[in-house]
Amino acid sequence: MKRAILRAAKYFLMITVIYVAVMALMYYTGTMGQPTAETFWKTLELQLFATEKGRLMLPALLLLALFYPRFGFVKREVKGCVPQEHRDQILSAFEIYGFEKCGEESDEWIFRASGVVNRLKYLYEDEIRLRPTPNGVEIEGIRRAAVKVAWRLEGYLANLR
């Protein structure tokens, strides 16, 4: 629960920064369709609190951030993969997407994004766990990386058959 709240807070901060950056870009390029004030911050306040769309924006961003832990993280199973037999394929699939093995806990392999920029891209929620299952392996982590790695690994395994 604590982890989900932290993930939602990070996501809310990220989408808020992006929103403010887009508003600043529109303000300073003169492409804002609504009335503007004498400074950017007053214009932002005017846009957020004096218009109906603006008043809906903050709750919409908050709602999106609250559901982010549910749709932003996933578990994918890759059938027919045995970690001891397919070690090279697993490591290669993760390496292509900028992940490196950083540890093991019992049967689980733990991967993290390599480099500060890649870790920041994933808001430091870049841990992907690979654990064996009776049918293959399960990959659990942030959706935009875990799904790509699982897809790549399935391709590698298909080429071995």
Side-chain angles (χ1 to χ4, degrees):
M1 181 65 167
K2 183 179 175 184
R3 190 173 202 177
I5 293 170
L6 181 62
R7 286 176 174 170
K10 285 180 181 181
Y11 192 71
F12 181 74
L13 182 64
M14 182 189 71
I15 57 179
T16 302
V17 167
I18 291 171
Y19 178 77
V20 170
V22 168
M23 293 294 285
L25 181 67
M26 289 173 27
Y27 177 79
Y28 289 114
T29 59
T31 57
M32 190 170 281
Q34 300 289 326
T36 59
E38 56 274 0
T39 67
F40 168 69
W41 294 108
K42 287 185 180 182
T43 300
L44 185 63
E45 182 180 338
L46 176 73
Q47 294 297 320
L48 282 176
F49 302 115
T51 65
E52 184 179 344
K53 289 180 182 178
R55 285 190 297 271
L56 289 175
M57 183 57 68
L58 287 175
L61 292 179
L62 185 60
L63 193 63
L64 185 64
L66 287 174
F67 282 103
Y68 173 69
R70 291 287 289 162
F71 69 80
F73 295 85
V74 70
K75 291 181 184 178
R76 290 280 188 238
E77 187 170 0
V78 178
K79 295 184 187 304
C81 182
V82 180
Q84 294 80 11
E85 293 178 23
H86 303 112
R87 180 180 179 83
D88 293 338
Q89 288 81 12
I90 292 170
L91 294 176
S92 180
F94 276 95
E95 186 178 301
I96 283 177
Y97 293 108
F99 284 81
E100 59 190 11
K101 187 175 176 186
C102 67
E104 289 186 33
E105 290 179 4
S106 61
D107 287 346
E108 290 186 343
W109 292 5
I110 302 168
F111 293 86
R112 288 201 185 276
S114 56
V116 176
V117 174
N118 281 339
R119 295 204 66 204
L120 188 60
K121 184 172 71 172
Y122 295 111
L123 301 175
Y124 285 86
E125 294 290 341
D126 58 336
E127 182 178 281
I128 297 180
R129 293 180 174 264
L130 181 133
R131 63 181 66 90
T133 64
N135 298 328
V137 294
E138 180 181 75
I139 298 172
E140 177 183 7
I142 192 162
R143 178 182 295 271
R144 59 188 159 143
V147 170
K148 290 177 186 176
V149 169
W151 179 78
R152 177 70 61 157
L153 185 55
E154 285 173 351
Y156 285 162
L157 295 175
N159 286 334
L160 288 176
R161 295 181 189 127

